[in-house]
Amino acid sequence: MAVIKAENLSKQVSLGDQTLSILSALNLEVNARETIAIIGRSGSGKSTLLSLLAGLDSASSGKISLNGNELTELNEDGRAAVRNQHVGFIFQSFQLLPHLTALDNVMLPLELAGDKQAQRKAEAWLDKVGLGSRMHHQPNQLSGGEQQRVAIARAFVTEPEILFADEPTGNLDPTTGQTIVDLLFELNAEHGTTLVLVTHDHQLAHLCQRYVTLENGALFEGRKEDPLENAEHEPTKTQQTPPFARNC
Amino acid sequence: MGHIFKLGLKHWRSDFSSAEMRLLLIATLVAAMSMTMITTFTDRLTRTMEYRASELIAGDLILQSQNSINPEWIKEAKQRGLNHVPAIVFSTMAYANDALELSRVRAVGEGYPLKGENQVTDQPYGKSQVIHGAPAPGNVWVDQRVIQALNVSVGDTIELGDSEFLVEYILVQDADRSGNFYSPFGAIMMNMEDLEATGVLGPGSRVTQKQYFTAPSNKEEQSLSGSQKGSAHPTTDDKNSDLQAVINFADWLKPQLTEHERLSGAIDSDTSMGTAVQRAQQYLSLASLVAVLLAGVAIAMASQRFSERHYETAALLRCLGAEQKDISRIFILKLLLTGLVASALGCAIGFLAHYGLFQLMQGLLPTDIMPAQWGPVIISLLSSLVVLLAFAFAPIQQLKSVSPVRVLRRELNPKPVRLNVFYLLAIFAIGGLAYVLTSNFKLTLIFVVGLSALSLLYGGLAAGFLVMIHRVSNHLPRRIQTGFNQLYRHRYYAISQLGAFAFIFTAITLIIVVRTDLFSRWQASIPADTPNHFAINVLPDTKDEFEHFLEQKGVNASAFYPIVRGRLVEINGQEVKQAVSKEDDVRAVQRELSLTWSDQPGADSEIIEGDWWPTTIKPNSIKASPSIITPEVNRVSIESELAQKLNIQVGDELTFTIVGQQLNATVHNIRKVKWDNFKPNFYMVFEPGVLNDFHHTYINSFYLKNQNTELLLDINRNFKAVTIIPTEKVIKQVREILEQTTVAVEYILMLVLLAGVVLLFATLLSTLSLRRHEAAIYRTLGASGSYIRNLIVYEYLWLGLLAGALAMMSTELLSWALYSNVFQVDWKAHPVLWALTPLFAMAVIVVSGWLASRPVMTASPNRLLREVG
Ligand SMILES: Nc1ncnc2c1ncn2[C@@H]1O[C@H](COP(=O)(O)OP(=O)(O)OP(=O)(O)O)[C@@H](O)[C@H]1O
Ligand SMILES: [Mg+2]
């Protein structure tokens, strides 16, 4: 059964008087419990695709169904409800709220849903990611790896069916990155979550059951030639952090 | 809903220490603080001044009637807790030593005067002393005129009707000063208990019944003063009086008055005191308005920044499944909580600070200041909340529309809010508050319309300036050019910052300019040699002699004005009483007027409609008045306020009765009179010759340096008929009020300045993170600290110059509008301002900008970039 199904998906953005076509008539199906990696050059539109699949943004045309919900038929608030119930996120830049403690950050999605057990569940998840003793620390008191663990705990705490991760190790050194990846896959297997992972990392992509390549606005099953090798050394077009902060 | 509320509360608590929250907190706090301080202070001072002004008429409210006063009204006043005391005023002959004198007698009830005090002396022109209460039964107090006319002194007896009275004191000043200065009669004050025995009041006698009312007062104090002179007299310093009760009573009474009754308040604009208090009030309310305005701008800046700093949070919350309305709720809740804490704190500090203000001004202010009330504090609290919500609403709406995709693409900002409905709402909110604060519709209107127009203009002008300078910037010296380019690059922020700075400097310069102009003009209106004596009842045949006498003694005297007593009875053949609506309280139509004639309009008055009659006769015509030929048409000049109240235009036909005879005259022009110059002023001035057939006396005013008893007695000996009325006391009181308000205004000015500077910092801080980020990148790219420093200094210089120029223009515009519409003074351009405002703005912005961005210049690029994230 496909939990994610995108048909004829396309996305254009207008830049002044020009329109930039990022995705065109793209199709993708992801089954329940499947792990899938999306790879592609920088600027190929991976993050854009992820934001559409996760219902963060609306497509220019095409259809997306997520866990049986037709995203394209929902308005923003409708999609927000779907995100809250069915989707978890992990980002390259962690996206923790700086003034909240680790615990509060993890509780956030539960609190938004009005879950009365928020604190207990969040504590349990922080324990699980090995931060039981750091619960009351704020993000700036935690290392990058620790911050990403908090983000992982936050992603799993609502027990989502689908998890989206955009370059989860992009801001981490290789060793730390490895432990984060291990944690992610371990938890994912344990909870049978569907995982959609965007990455540059060759090895990381191989950990997934399946991977697709994004090029010229369309998806290709498997590795096409070997774009990963090149992509590593090309200057990135849309940088989210200053160059030296990114540990390649 | 409940869980969103909890979430908001939690986030608010953890956000509390963040820089943007602190900025919002401080802006709101300063706003609440300055509003509370100013409004509480102003409120207490104004009530004190009103109170003191009401001392001058022996009560807060006077009800006058030609008939007897409805007892139901007195009952109502009692029920409302007002104090009241009756008086009956009538004319009768006083008799002693075979001499007769027609006198105005005031028979007063127990407790007179409710406010203020009578002044008496026991020797002619002797040192006057304050006396509590009124004459005891059997005694009378008579004025100098009666003393002279009847040739009596203190301790002698005089007769009124069937009774004899002991002259206990010479009356120098009646507590009720609402009467006419120029009355040609002697004045006598007696106790009401004696009235019946005199038998002077028959059924047909013309009497005026008066009732004085004052606010409810403290009972203990009343009993304290009960021992004095046998009359229960509430002291003048009853601090708990509540003028509101009086105002309510007046509102209740007004609709029931008939044409025979007249109600007058403590402050009428045609007295010097009224003018002084009114002006002070107007200025103080302008200051409080400016405080609200600064608050509004500060809060707008702070909430814009608050919102910008929360894009990330909003995006993440959306990403995690928060709905748009949840976002609104969370942030509005945060805002409300911040507002409540900040305004409560600000109000508390402001309230304490106003005590400090009174403390600082001890000695200059009267010792009995009216107690503080909750009203101004509550209004300030609500105002700062309303201002916060009104201005923060648009930025919060912006947060709602932050796209959740922003978690992936940081540069996705929501559309900037420009002028939209919410800002219009904010303007309405400010306008509403302004009206509450000033209760002056015109002032509010000028402010709100003027400022919204200006704020629209600011955007356009600032953008225009930038584009224009950008065109020519190639010709500028390199550093200056680099600074400008920097500003130009930031133009999105620059324009809003420019607007904010322009507002701040407009507020500051406007307050300074208005203060300087108003007070110098005001001070000039009572110069050191302001006439402090009036000479009345100068008979035509002794006038030249008297004039000569004064000249010889070196006394600086005004011109002599002839006076003929008369009443205005008809306007264009219609009876005046019908022409005037009942509510309009037009004193001039109910009492006898002093009519005069002149061939000059008078130095201090201004013809605003029509023209003055040609001076066909020789300049010193007044001297030769009896020989002036009666003109063919009777022409009269009327005072502008009276003309307005009675709806009289140039060309209207007025009918007067003068000692039973009728006289018609055509209104030839309308004249604006300065009532506060302590010189003889008149509602009606006729063309010389018109009043030839009527008996007249002369009046003039003069200045005596010290209490010159010798000279006054000399006048007394040589000119039996002339009466001298000292006005020193009133002048002193006006001066005192002026001094008090000047000091108050100075402190409030400081406060506005302080608020302005705090807001300036808030504004500068609002782009600090942008500048940090930029500086970090420059530093990484190898720019030296001094390069960045220059960049910042020159950019701020430009910012200051442009903001100063904008502020200068708007100050001139606003001051012009305020002067001609509210303060009624002439406007002149302020060239000094043109030079100083931009310089001042540049200095302030560069120095504070420098202080604010010092960390940017010294920190390592690594640290800066890490902070920026
Ligand atoms: N809202 C937008 N406005 C303008 N351009 C956009 C927008 N969204 C995406 N783009 C452009 O679309 C292209 C794809 O962007 P996207 O972030 O999806 O790439 P990516 O594959 O995730 O790159 P990277 O590996 O560097 O993260 C880029 O060229 C980007 O500039
Ligand atoms: Mg990307």
Side-chain angles (χ1 to χ4, degrees):
Chain A
M1 224 270 303
V3 282
I4 306 175
K5 193 169 176 196
E7 283 175 85
N8 273 329
L9 197 60
S10 62
K11 175 74 178 173
Q12 283 116 32
V13 291
S14 57
L15 302 163
D17 42 2
Q18 279 184 324
T19 33
L20 176 69
S21 177
I22 306 171
L23 305 173
S24 45
L26 175 150
N27 291 298
L28 178 69
E29 261 185 54
V30 182
N31 290 325
R33 297 169 167 263
E34 197 178 7
T35 56
I36 180 172
I38 300 173
I39 52 178
R41 287 165 194 274
S42 179
S44 56
K46 304 183 294 292
S47 299
T48 308
L49 176 59
L50 186 92
S51 69
L52 290 180
L53 295 178
L56 291 173
D57 204 355
S58 52
S60 306
S61 64
K63 277 168 90 173
I64 305 167
S65 101
L66 199 69
N67 223 17
N69 300 289
E70 271 307 330
L71 290 187
T72 35
E73 281 167 17
L74 292 172
N75 62 7
E76 228 320 295
D77 284 343
R79 294 202 298 268
V82 172
R83 287 198 295 272
N84 187 259
Q85 284 161 29
H86 305 291
V87 178
F89 288 97
I90 299 168
F91 306 101
Q92 177 176 359
S93 52
F94 320 136
Q95 296 286 2
L96 301 177
L97 292 183
H99 297 296
L100 297 186
T101 60
L103 181 63
D104 286 334
N105 265 294
V106 177
M107 281 166 72
L108 199 54
L110 293 174
E111 285 174 318
L112 281 173
D115 191 326
K116 297 233 163 26
Q117 308 277 306
Q119 178 156 356
R120 197 187 51 75
K121 287 184 187 170
E123 280 169 358
W125 271 99
L126 277 168
D127 253 341
K128 221 171 204 167
V129 298
L131 289 175
S133 57
R134 312 293 303 270
M135 284 195 223
H136 299 292
H137 291 190
Q138 288 186 342
N140 61 3
Q141 294 165 309
L142 299 172
S143 74
E146 285 160 346
Q147 288 185 48
Q148 196 62 305
R149 279 165 197 263
V150 176
I152 289 174
R154 182 180 65 191
F156 278 102
V157 79
T158 54
E159 301 183 345
E161 285 92 355
I162 310 157
L163 198 62
F164 289 98
D166 191 356
E167 312 262 17
T169 58
N171 278 2
L172 302 171
D173 65 78
T175 339
T176 316
Q178 192 55 51
T179 56
I180 290 295
V181 166
D182 291 348
L183 178 68
L184 179 61
F185 275 85
E186 188 191 311
L187 292 175
N188 194 63
E190 199 177 298
H191 290 266
T193 320
T194 310
L195 175 68
V196 179
L197 187 123
V198 164
T199 184
H200 282 90
D201 191 335
H202 193 174
Q203 246 129 42
L204 185 52
H206 275 293
L207 287 177
C208 294
Q209 294 159 353
R210 181 182 148 205
Y211 64 80
V212 290
T213 306
L214 183 60
E215 202 177 284
N216 297 329
L219 278 180
F220 299 91
E221 203 64 33
R223 175 151 45 138
K224 196 173 174 251
E225 284 132 40
D226 198 355
L228 291 177
E229 251 70 312
N230 307 331
E232 294 276 53
H233 303 287
E234 270 178 29
T236 44
K237 230 164 102 189
T238 51
Q239 286 182 347
Q240 303 184 353
T241 41
F244 58 81
R246 185 182 283 216
N247 252 308
C248 303
Chain B
M1 188 72 212
H3 62 273
I4 293 295
F5 182 81
K6 265 209 296 236
L7 187 66
L9 189 68
K10 185 164 148 187
H11 280 205
W12 176 70
R13 262 187 270 136
S14 55
D15 251 14
F16 210 73
S17 58
S18 70
E20 58 275 8
M21 190 70 110
R22 249 180 282 158
L23 188 64
L24 197 60
L25 205 77
I26 290 175
T28 316
L29 190 136
V30 167
M33 185 188 113
S34 45
M35 273 196 279
T36 311
M37 184 165 161
I38 291 177
T39 50
T40 309
F41 180 78
T42 314
D43 174 67
R44 290 184 66 185
L45 199 65
T46 323
R47 279 188 295 130
T48 306
M49 290 194 299
E50 271 170 9
Y51 181 83
R52 288 177 60 108
S54 69
E55 284 177 21
L56 290 178
I57 60 161
D60 293 322
L61 200 65
I62 304 179
L63 175 62
Q64 273 190 36
S65 176
Q66 308 304 331
N67 300 336
S68 55
I69 286 169
N70 188 342
E72 288 300 311
W73 297 349
I74 308 296
K75 225 163 97 189
E76 177 70 21
K78 264 189 202 151
Q79 233 157 42
R80 289 168 184 256
L82 301 190
N83 299 311
H84 71 101
V85 65
I88 295 178
V89 183
F90 57 95
S91 298
T92 191
M93 286 295 176
Y95 177 79
N97 302 328
D98 293 329
L100 276 171
E101 168 73 0
L102 182 64
S103 308
R104 272 319 255 173
V105 181
R106 182 189 297 272
V108 298
E110 281 298 302
Y112 182 87
L114 289 176
K115 282 231 176 132
E117 55 249 332
N118 297 311
Q119 286 183 56
V120 296
T121 177
D122 38 25
Q123 283 174 50
Y125 301 113
K127 198 170 162 24
S128 65
Q129 66 186 88
V130 162
I131 187 152
H132 294 283
N139 291 346
V140 288
W141 301 344
V142 303
D143 75 351
Q144 182 67 33
R145 203 184 148 83
V146 176
I147 293 280
Q148 276 169 240
L150 301 183
N151 199 14
V152 290
S153 51
V154 169
D156 293 346
T157 52
I158 62 166
E159 286 172 34
L160 290 173
D162 303 336
S163 308
E164 271 196 357
F165 292 91
L166 177 75
V167 176
E168 191 190 12
Y169 285 117
I170 300 172
L171 185 62
V172 176
Q173 184 77 72
D174 189 330
D176 180 354
R177 277 170 242 190
S178 63
N180 200 324
F181 271 150
Y182 325 132
S183 164
F185 310 116
I188 298 177
M189 189 186 291
M190 64 182 285
N191 196 296
M192 216 177 219
E193 277 180 33
D194 295 331
L195 190 55
E196 233 188 289
T198 61
V200 291
L201 294 191
S205 341
R206 270 191 57 178
V207 300
T208 306
Q209 300 260 3
K210 287 193 173 194
Q211 279 285 346
Y212 299 88
F213 299 97
T214 52
S217 64
N218 202 317
K219 291 213 176 65
E220 286 157 52
E221 289 184 31
Q222 238 171 342
S223 64
L224 253 178
S225 61
S227 55
Q228 285 162 338
K229 286 241 88 182
S231 55
H233 163 70
T235 60
T236 49
D237 47 14
D238 50 338
K239 293 178 185 168
N240 294 335
S241 17
D242 181 8
L243 276 175
Q244 193 56 44
V246 177
I247 295 166
N248 291 344
F249 176 62
D251 287 344
W252 174 83
L253 190 54
K254 263 181 208 160
Q256 310 185 48
L257 299 180
T258 66
E259 60 185 44
H260 301 293
E261 281 112 17
R262 182 166 77 81
L263 199 60
S264 54
I267 300 163
D268 281 338
S269 66
D270 60 352
T271 63
S272 313
M273 192 60 58
T275 317
V277 174
Q278 253 181 7
R279 285 202 190 153
Q281 257 173 331
Q282 276 170 342
Y283 184 83
L284 289 178
S285 45
L286 177 72
S288 48
L289 205 55
V290 167
V292 180
L293 183 80
L294 281 175
V297 176
I299 289 169
M301 293 302 288
S303 42
Q304 182 60 41
R305 163 133 174 103
F306 176 81
S307 156
E308 274 166 23
R309 291 290 280 186
H310 281 93
Y311 287 167
E312 238 95 293
T313 310
L316 183 74
L317 288 173
R318 290 291 301 286
C319 172
L320 297 179
E323 293 179 12
Q324 291 197 321
K325 62 174 188 289
D326 295 337
I327 303 281
S328 294
R329 280 183 190 147
I330 289 174
F331 283 98
I332 286 174
L333 181 71
K334 280 191 188 188
L335 212 78
L336 261 177
L337 290 170
T338 311
L340 273 175
V341 168
S343 345
L345 214 62
C347 285
I349 297 174
F351 190 76
L352 290 179
H354 106 270
Y355 279 114
L357 200 53
F358 276 118
Q359 197 64 34
L360 278 171
M361 292 166 65
Q362 233 180 12
L364 282 157
L365 294 180
T367 40
D368 334 317
I369 301 283
M370 291 284 177
Q373 290 180 335
W374 279 113
V377 180
I378 290 166
I379 287 180
S380 306
L381 187 83
L382 291 180
S383 306
S384 40
L385 273 180
V386 167
V387 170
L388 175 68
L389 288 184
F391 274 107
F393 213 73
I396 293 296
Q397 289 306 104
Q398 214 179 8
L399 275 177
K400 197 172 88 174
S401 65
V402 169
S403 159
V405 191
R406 204 173 190 279
V407 292
L408 292 168
R409 303 186 56 84
R410 258 186 94 162
E411 63 283 6
L412 275 186
N413 283 339
K415 284 204 190 86
V417 261
R418 289 269 155 74
L419 192 84
N420 69 11
V421 184
F422 297 113
Y423 282 124
L424 282 179
L425 280 178
I427 288 171
F428 270 115
I430 289 261
L433 289 177
Y435 187 67
V436 170
L437 279 172
T438 63
S439 35
N440 184 334
F441 187 68
K442 245 185 194 171
L443 190 66
T444 306
L445 198 73
I446 289 179
F447 240 78
V448 173
V449 172
L451 285 172
S452 357
L454 281 178
S455 57
L456 279 179
L457 259 178
Y458 281 150
L461 281 177
F465 273 153
L466 286 179
V467 171
M468 252 157 47
I469 297 171
H470 184 62
R471 289 243 174 92
V472 298
S473 68
N474 286 338
H475 308 290
L476 295 170
R478 203 179 57 83
R479 274 187 180 179
I480 296 177
Q481 188 193 338
T482 324
F484 179 78
N485 288 343
Q486 185 73 0
L487 184 69
Y488 192 74
R489 233 172 282 144
H490 297 151
R491 59 188 171 275
Y492 164 68
Y493 294 94
I495 287 173
S496 67
Q497 259 195 344
L498 255 177
F501 285 139
F503 263 121
I504 294 171
F505 288 109
T506 306
I508 293 173
T509 47
L510 185 69
I511 284 293
I512 295 177
V513 162
V514 174
R515 189 208 82 90
T516 315
D517 282 356
L518 272 195
F519 283 84
S520 61
R521 245 160 267 213
W522 198 1
Q523 228 124 26
S525 74
I526 2 175
D529 59 352
T530 302
N532 53 8
H533 290 85
F534 278 90
I536 63 171
N537 212 31
V538 181
L539 300 174
D541 50 356
T542 58
K543 185 193 137 234
D544 290 350
E545 206 184 319
F546 184 55
E547 193 171 9
H548 186 69
F549 173 85
L550 288 178
E551 225 167 82
Q552 227 174 16
K553 299 279 176 187
V555 175
N556 183 4
S558 79
F560 283 82
Y561 289 87
I563 287 188
V564 172
R565 307 283 299 174
R567 265 173 218 273
L568 173 65
V569 287
E570 284 175 15
I571 302 168
N572 290 329
Q574 200 195 2
E575 220 186 311
V576 172
K577 277 179 185 144
Q578 286 164 10
V580 185
S581 68
K582 215 164 60 177
E583 266 109 303
D584 274 326
D585 158 43
V586 185
R587 205 191 282 181
V589 301
Q590 276 120 345
R591 68 162 189 229
E592 265 196 334
L593 290 174
S594 297
L595 313 175
T596 192
W597 68 81
S598 173
D599 58 345
Q600 305 283 321
D604 284 345
S605 50
E606 182 196 343
I607 309 296
I608 54 174
E609 246 184 277
D611 47 24
W612 197 252
W613 34 81
T615 327
T616 49
I617 29 187
K618 48 188 193 310
N620 55 351
S621 58
I622 296 175
K623 273 184 187 169
S625 54
S627 64
I628 301 169
I629 322 131
T630 312
E632 277 163 33
V633 264
N634 296 335
R635 295 191 283 200
V636 66
S637 161
I638 180 170
E639 189 268 339
S640 58
E641 273 176 42
L642 183 66
Q644 204 185 349
K645 279 185 194 163
L646 295 177
N647 194 22
I648 293 174
Q649 324 288 344
V650 168
D652 283 355
E653 190 78 10
L654 306 183
T655 310
F656 297 85
T657 45
I658 302 168
V659 282
Q661 261 178 280
Q662 293 229 330
L663 175 82
N664 288 328
T666 313
V667 176
H668 192 65
N669 63 52
I670 295 176
R671 207 169 14 99
K672 205 160 149 183
V673 170
K674 279 201 175 129
W675 287 106
D676 55 355
N677 63 359
F678 292 94
K679 290 175 189 156
N681 286 312
F682 298 89
Y683 284 117
M684 304 285 176
V685 178
F686 289 81
E687 188 172 7
V690 177
L691 299 176
N692 268 354
D693 298 340
F694 302 99
H695 168 75
H696 63 275
T697 59
Y698 285 91
I699 179 175
N700 85 336
S701 62
F702 55 89
Y703 170 74
L704 289 184
K705 202 164 184 184
N706 301 312
Q707 177 76 24
N708 197 338
T709 315
E710 197 58 31
L711 182 85
L712 293 174
L713 284 174
D714 228 11
I715 295 175
N716 188 357
R717 272 192 295 275
N718 292 307
F719 306 93
K720 282 269 181 241
V722 173
T723 306
I724 306 294
I725 298 172
T727 52
E728 188 67 50
K729 182 88 202 280
V730 183
I731 295 173
K732 216 180 119 206
Q733 203 147 3
V734 172
R735 280 221 182 89
E736 251 173 51
I737 287 182
L738 180 75
E739 245 157 55
Q740 284 162 20
T741 32
T742 313
V743 176
V745 156
E746 225 108 84
Y747 279 95
I748 281 164
L749 177 72
M750 299 284 267
L751 189 80
V752 172
L753 282 179
L754 184 80
V757 167
V758 172
L759 307 183
L760 191 88
F761 263 96
T763 311
L764 283 169
L765 284 175
S766 71
T767 56
L768 197 61
S769 66
L770 173 85
R771 282 173 208 285
R772 268 175 195 233
H773 195 165
E774 248 177 27
I777 291 168
Y778 283 147
R779 291 295 288 273
T780 322
L781 298 177
S784 68
S786 69
Y787 178 83
I788 294 174
R789 193 162 52 225
N790 275 334
L791 214 59
I792 290 178
V793 167
Y794 280 100
E795 184 184 350
Y796 282 143
L797 276 177
W798 274 106
L799 208 56
L801 179 73
L802 296 179
L806 286 175
M808 174 208 86
M809 294 191 301
S810 37
T811 302
E812 287 292 54
L813 265 172
L814 282 173
S815 63
W816 169 77
L818 285 174
Y819 288 6
S820 41
N821 290 297
V822 180
F823 294 112
Q824 316 289 355
V825 294
D826 305 325
W827 181 85
K828 268 197 254 102
H830 306 86
V832 179
L833 184 78
W834 300 351
L836 283 189
T837 313
L839 281 181
F840 174 65
M842 273 155 87
V844 170
I845 292 182
V846 167
V847 170
S848 40
W850 174 267
L851 291 176
S853 38
R854 225 174 18 180
V856 175
M857 292 177 251
T858 48
S860 77
N862 197 14
R863 225 194 86 200
L864 287 174
L865 283 173
R866 182 107 27 96
E867 268 176 42
V868 170

